[in-house]
Amino acid sequence: MNPIQQFVRWEAEKPEAIFLQQPLAGVWKKWTYRQAGQEIRSMATALAERGLPPRSRVGILSKNCAHWIMADLAIWMAGHISVPLYPTFTGNTIAQILEHSETKILFVGKLDTWEDQKAGIPTGVACIGFSTYLKTPFPAWEDLVTTHPPLKEFASWTADELATLKYTSGTTGNPKGVMLNFGAFQFVMKEGLNAIDVKPGDNNRLFSYLPLSHVAERSLVEMTALYSASTIYFSESLETFGANLAEAQPTIFLAVPRIWAKFREKILEAMPQPKLDKLLKIPLVNLLVKRAIKKKLGLAKCKWVISGAAPVAPELLRWFQKLDIIIRDTYGMTENLAFSHINLNKVKIGTVGHVWPGIQWRLSEQGELQMKHPGLMMGYYKDEALTNTVLTNDGYLKTGDKGEVDREGFFTITGRIKDQFKTDKGKFVDPTPIEMQLLQNPDIDQACVVGMGIPQPIALINLSAAGKSKSKDAIRDSIAQTLEHVNPSLESYEKLEAAVIMQRDWTVENGMLTPSMKLKRNELEKANLEKYPVWYKMKTAVVWE
């Protein structure tokens, strides 16, 4: 069954079960499957009355909220293709995507920078606003669902039809339109939910805060809810995030590495490491401490704690294990619907686990992971040439990630083929494994190893909150010790000449991170390449920008 059929099933079988919970001014507004169905069907009628050709593209530009999910379902119910956009996209990127996808209608919702973004909406794209979160001059969802009758006969779809165009956040170049069909969602949900033993009736709760335009959040949160009759909770704002999560107490929770680092910082602000270590050594007291921390974080009832989007430092995983929080590192990409590897029944730190069921995979001669399963993309929209560079003649996706498999079948990513750079000595360096070693130091929040135009690599570093609270001398000692620990494990041409402490954090807002918190190496290179020789020639282990 496709996502619409699944929703209609719960609408009929569990009409009073809670589907969505949205905090508004500190109060949780709830939609049952029946109530959500009425709004979704009425919006589908409003879309149908626009007279668009079947399978037109309809976009969603909003932060996560209940209306995002309902808009997605209304688009499909009306017989159209959804085009989610990251809520942090600039006006220029929004214009590029809407024009490339030929989007006809755009839902505009919960946004922080709307005044800067609205200029990116091309003339001719009609807009519908979520007035609950943002006042716009557009027709409001809240008005349209009260003035249009619910759609009774919803559109039918075949498994091989295009369901959504997901524009990647793009660590390099412009976003690409990944085409995913309904069959991909059906396959991933069937195999994935069976593997983690999630079934309707389990009363699972999901907490949605990572961008729903990202493949992992859409798959693990939206689709899991639709295929298991679960409840989705949302965060009202960054300020209320912690309180909202603690109230939701999800049974399945997904985060990216930076979230885990922030969680640790918050825990240690309340309970410094020496005190925590002491309490964890005391019988019974340690159990109370662990329970209190998990409840405060919102993970007291969590069965599946999952990390994705980027590698997690092993040291951070081990730190959380001491609190009985077992984080299962996972791996995937938009092109395979985030369905590739996970630490499932057994966790092996430093790896991304085993392949999910139903996947065929292989390693190329260069060590690149290639895979094939029904959840792969159909290709890149309007770009057959690019599609042919990543999909082989026999249907395998070339992931671009290099890796190794151990005797137990655990897969370790050793780097990106395209992330390699050549130093002045003519040696190729793979930065990812070195960065993972640097991130073992809790004073380091982010690290990027670079080396174009200089004889030896250097590391660009953003300090963590803990690091920023220390003196320059303390940081110099801390980072120097890390370099002394890391360098002996590297080949001579890989050894780090220096670590540069950057003045500005790398963020989504300044263009150094993608919306899914991945580092944009190309942008970082553009901003700092000419400085590399200066930093290199300083001949000191730790340099301040």
Side-chain angles (χ1 to χ4, degrees):
M1 291 171 47
N2 67 36
I4 287 296
Q5 292 168 325
Q6 284 288 353
F7 176 79
V8 171
R9 174 188 174 186
W10 309 133
E11 192 184 25
E13 294 180 11
K14 299 175 177 287
E16 300 310 313
I18 303 299
F19 178 37
L20 305 169
Q21 292 223 48
Q22 174 72 52
L24 298 170
V27 178
W28 290 94
K29 177 174 174 57
K30 302 177 182 180
W31 283 264
T32 63
Y33 276 88
R34 177 183 58 80
Q35 291 168 330
Q38 290 175 339
E39 292 199 32
I40 292 164
R41 289 173 179 273
S42 292
M43 181 51 63
T45 298
L47 291 175
E49 287 187 359
R50 298 292 180 114
L52 300 179
R55 282 29 177 184
S56 291
R57 268 70 69 201
V58 179
I60 307 173
L61 177 63
S62 174
K63 294 167 70 174
N64 299 16
C65 60
H67 293 80
W68 200 110
I69 302 289
M70 291 191 287
D72 200 27
L73 294 172
I75 291 166
W76 284 334
M77 198 172 275
H80 301 307
I81 297 160
S82 67
V83 183
L85 287 80
Y86 281 94
T88 53
F89 274 156
T90 63
N92 287 339
T93 303
I94 291 168
Q96 175 198 336
I97 291 173
L98 295 181
E99 289 170 358
H100 184 262
S101 63
E102 301 175 66
T103 290
K104 304 298 183 185
I105 297 175
L106 178 67
F107 286 101
V108 175
K110 191 177 182 184
L111 297 166
D112 294 329
T113 57
W114 169 240
E115 290 303 314
D116 297 324
Q117 293 171 312
K118 60 185 180 182
I121 299 176
T123 303
V125 175
C127 294
I128 296 171
F130 301 157
S131 63
T132 297
Y133 319 98
L134 180 71
K135 301 303 178 184
T136 67
F138 312 130
W141 170 288
E142 294 77 1
D143 296 332
L144 292 172
V145 296
T146 60
T147 55
H148 289 80
L151 188 72
K152 294 181 179 179
E153 297 296 326
F154 57 90
S156 61
W157 297 87
T158 59
D160 60 356
E161 281 191 277
L162 177 62
T164 189
L165 276 176
K166 294 192 73 64
Y167 281 83
T168 63
S169 53
T171 56
T172 59
N174 294 322
K176 303 179 291 290
V178 176
M179 299 188 291
L180 296 167
N181 61 29
F182 282 99
F185 287 114
Q186 291 171 227
F187 166 77
V188 169
M189 285 300 104
K190 178 184 175 182
E191 296 292 345
L193 295 186
N194 182 61
I196 64 175
D197 194 28
V198 169
K199 300 182 294 293
D202 288 348
N203 297 317
N204 279 297
R205 297 184 299 281
L206 302 131
F207 188 72
S208 182
Y209 69 102
L210 296 172
L212 275 162
S213 43
H214 188 271
V215 65
E217 182 81 357
R218 201 170 183 202
S219 183
L220 187 64
V221 174
E222 181 186 20
M223 291 299 137
T224 293
L226 291 172
Y227 279 79
S228 63
S230 302
T231 302
I232 303 176
Y233 293 75
F234 298 89
S235 172
E236 183 167 9
S237 67
L238 186 61
E239 291 71 28
T240 64
F241 172 84
N244 295 154
L245 177 56
E247 291 179 77
Q249 293 292 334
T251 55
I252 301 172
F253 181 72
L254 169 68
V256 296
R258 293 200 72 193
I259 297 295
W260 299 119
K262 296 298 182 186
F263 278 177
R264 177 168 66 176
E265 288 175 3
K266 289 295 182 183
I267 292 169
L268 294 180
E269 282 178 10
M271 190 179 300
Q273 191 69 58
K275 181 179 180 181
L276 179 60
D277 290 340
K278 183 177 180 180
L279 293 175
L280 291 179
K281 291 177 181 177
I282 304 173
L284 298 180
V285 171
N286 64 357
L287 295 177
L288 295 175
V289 169
K290 292 173 186 177
R291 287 174 186 169
I293 289 174
K294 287 194 282 188
K295 185 176 181 181
K296 181 74 173 177
L297 286 180
L299 303 179
K301 298 181 180 179
C302 207
K303 303 172 187 174
W304 292 96
V305 182
I306 299 171
S307 185
V312 190
E315 180 271 337
L316 191 58
L317 295 175
R318 293 189 185 96
W319 190 89
F320 276 100
Q321 279 192 352
K322 293 177 182 178
L323 299 176
D324 292 341
I325 298 173
I326 309 303
I327 300 172
R328 299 174 187 274
D329 208 357
T330 186
Y331 161 74
M333 55 198 300
T334 307
E335 288 84 347
N336 59 26
L337 197 47
F339 199 66
S340 179
H341 289 71
I342 186 173
N343 280 276
L344 192 60
N345 298 317
K346 180 182 177 182
V347 172
K348 190 167 188 177
I349 289 177
T351 79
V352 291
H354 293 94
V355 291
W356 285 97
I359 294 177
Q360 295 174 263
W361 67 275
R362 65 193 182 195
L363 294 179
S364 71
E365 291 182 0
Q366 293 76 33
E368 179 189 32
L369 175 65
Q370 300 180 359
M371 68 175 55
K372 179 166 66 172
H373 61 69
L376 297 187
M377 69 171 181
M378 301 164 68
Y380 295 117
Y381 188 55
K382 295 182 179 178
D383 202 333
E384 185 178 355
L386 184 60
T387 299
N388 291 336
T389 66
V390 298
L391 291 178
T392 66
N393 292 335
D394 55 350
Y396 280 76
L397 171 69
K398 296 192 284 187
T399 64
D401 287 305
K402 298 189 302 178
E404 301 170 346
V405 182
D406 67 18
R407 292 179 179 179
E408 297 179 278
F410 286 90
F411 186 67
T412 300
I413 297 173
T414 58
R416 289 283 297 173
I417 291 175
K418 293 182 179 179
D419 284 347
Q420 288 185 332
F421 61 84
K422 185 188 289 187
T423 66
D424 267 5
K425 294 179 179 178
K427 294 290 189 178
F428 281 100
V429 176
D430 196 339
T432 305
I434 306 173
E435 291 162 359
M436 290 302 294
Q437 290 194 65
L438 293 173
L439 290 172
Q440 302 281 3
N441 185 335
D443 291 331
I444 299 175
D445 184 38
Q446 297 176 94
C448 182
V449 172
V450 297
M452 289 178 60
I454 51 179
Q456 288 289 135
I458 59 175
L460 310 184
I461 286 172
N462 272 177
L463 294 176
S464 65
K468 291 174 182 176
S469 68
K470 296 182 177 180
S471 68
K472 275 194 172 184
D473 287 342
I475 285 299
R476 184 181 293 108
D477 292 343
S478 172
I479 304 300
Q481 287 175 16
T482 295
L483 294 182
E484 289 174 4
H485 173 75
V486 170
N487 274 336
S489 68
L490 304 177
E491 298 291 340
S492 60
Y493 60 86
E494 295 176 316
K495 295 183 186 297
L496 298 170
E497 185 70 17
V500 182
I501 312 300
M502 308 301 287
Q503 289 183 357
R504 287 200 313 162
D505 288 344
W506 305 322
T507 65
V508 175
E509 291 71 25
N510 64 26
M512 296 303 172
L513 297 181
T514 71
S516 57
M517 303 296 180
K518 293 178 184 175
L519 188 64
K520 290 187 176 182
R521 294 181 185 273
N522 283 9
E523 295 302 316
L524 203 58
E525 292 273 12
K526 287 180 190 176
N528 298 289
L529 184 59
E530 63 183 22
K531 304 173 189 174
Y532 296 170
V534 177
W535 293 330
Y536 178 82
K537 291 175 182 177
M538 294 182 75
K539 297 297 180 181
T540 181
V542 182
V543 176
W544 268 264
E545 183 187 8

